[in-house]
Amino acid sequence: MLLAGCSNNLSEINSSTPGFFNHYIVFPLSYLIQHIASAFHGSYGVSIIAITLVIRLGLLPLMMRQAKSQQGTRVIMNAMKPELDALKKKYEGKNDLTDRQKMSEETMALYKKHKFNPLNIGCLPLLIQLPILSGIYTAIRLTPEISSHSFLWFKLGAPDYVLAVIVAVIYLIQAKVSQANMAPEQRKQFAIVGYISPLMMAFFSLSAPAAMPLYWTVGGSFLILQTMLFRKLYPVEHPQETASKSKKNASSDKNTTSAKRAAKPAKS
């Protein structure tokens, strides 16, 4: 809501553009884009790729901290799940005010027992990165030099259909990779979102200068690699997956034992 109040009908950004957000975030990023482009023989496409990667790498430690915090939260939630399910079953069908108060009290007692804070959802990293990412988006959109340059097969100032398809594919992969770390029931709930997001990004890309989908492609590709890295660094097994593995291991042990017995020679 705060960032929405910073937008206006500007067509370009420069040092005299009014507004705190424009002057201290958007213009410095626009200035940086132009100077990086000059270092790469005027290639604004390379400049957009470079500054997007630099910003994402700069935010990486913050995102790692958030991922580690979320891992701890998921571990606690997985440990509480059997007790929470039992509590829901205990009060299932009981809509009396007294019963609901008791359920709320027992739920809070369960949170206290496991030292779980439901309000600790890690919004600070998001609040820090949002102005930066919004700033780079606005800087790319309002830097007039970008629109007159070409990169690879497309013009940065005109929409490109091929790039729109690439953006849609990147965001579809990103959605699938992100949902792979969710519990099975959560994957079902967010399945439709995994298809809506790529379609929306493709629609935006078709109506935006190609510089924007180039930025989204680089940022989305980085997020895919970041998500895969975090899954390796901070793995969390969900109760259903643990139970499934236990069943498979038990079945495997049973088959191995049966095979060993069958392989023993009969006594004469």
Side-chain angles (χ1 to χ4, degrees), residues 3 27 31 34 39 46 48 55-56 82 85 90 92 103 105 130-131 134 140 143 170 174 180 229 231 240-241 244 249:
L3 289 174
F27 175 69
Y31 181 83
Q34 296 178 58
V46 174
I48 290 170
I55 289 175
R56 285 290 179 182
D85 289 343
K90 177 182 176 182
E92 188 176 2
M103 182 179 176
E105 290 172 1
L130 193 58
S134 178
I140 292 171
T143 302
I170 290 293
Q174 182 191 335
L229 173 64
R231 285 179 61 188
Q240 297 93 330
E241 295 172 353
S244 178
N249 292 336

Side-chain angles (χ1 to χ4, degrees), residues 57-107:
L57 287 169
L59 291 170
L60 187 60
L62 195 65
M63 301 309 296
M64 290 180 71
R65 183 177 179 181
Q66 183 185 29
K68 188 175 181 179
S69 175
Q70 289 175 343
Q71 180 205 32
T73 301
R74 283 196 295 266
V75 168
I76 295 173
M77 290 180 69
N78 290 344
M80 287 194 306
K81 192 177 186 307
E83 295 178 75
L84 281 173
D85 289 343
L87 191 61
K88 289 178 182 177
K89 190 174 181 180
K90 177 182 176 182
Y91 289 96
E92 188 176 2
K94 297 180 180 180
N95 297 320
D96 185 72
L97 180 60
T98 305
D99 291 326
R100 281 186 289 177
Q101 287 178 342
K102 287 181 180 179
M103 182 179 176
S104 179
E105 290 172 1
E106 291 185 36
T107 302

Side-chain angles (χ1 to χ4, degrees), residues 105-117:
E105 290 172 1
E106 291 185 36
T107 302
M108 294 307 297
L110 189 60
Y111 288 166
K112 188 175 181 180
K113 172 186 172 183
H114 289 272
K115 298 180 180 179
F116 174 70
N117 181 6

Side-chain angles (χ1 to χ4, degrees), residues 158-180:
D160 184 80
Y161 298 124
V162 176
L163 200 56
V165 173
I166 293 173
V167 169
V169 171
I170 290 293
Y171 273 79
L172 179 62
I173 296 172
Q174 182 191 335
K176 295 297 181 183
V177 171
S178 299
Q179 291 174 10

Side-chain angles (χ1 to χ4, degrees), residues 178-226:
S178 299
Q179 291 174 10
N181 204 33
M182 294 180 178
E185 64 272 10
Q186 285 182 312
R187 288 176 206 162
K188 293 178 181 178
Q189 293 173 0
F190 286 92
I192 188 66
V193 179
Y195 296 101
I196 292 176
S197 177
L199 290 174
M200 288 179 61
M201 295 307 299
F203 175 77
F204 295 150
S205 299
L206 288 171
S207 58
M212 293 315 308
L214 175 62
Y215 161 66
W216 292 327
T217 299
V218 177
S221 301
F222 187 93
L223 286 177
I224 291 171
L225 297 175
Q226 177 180 282

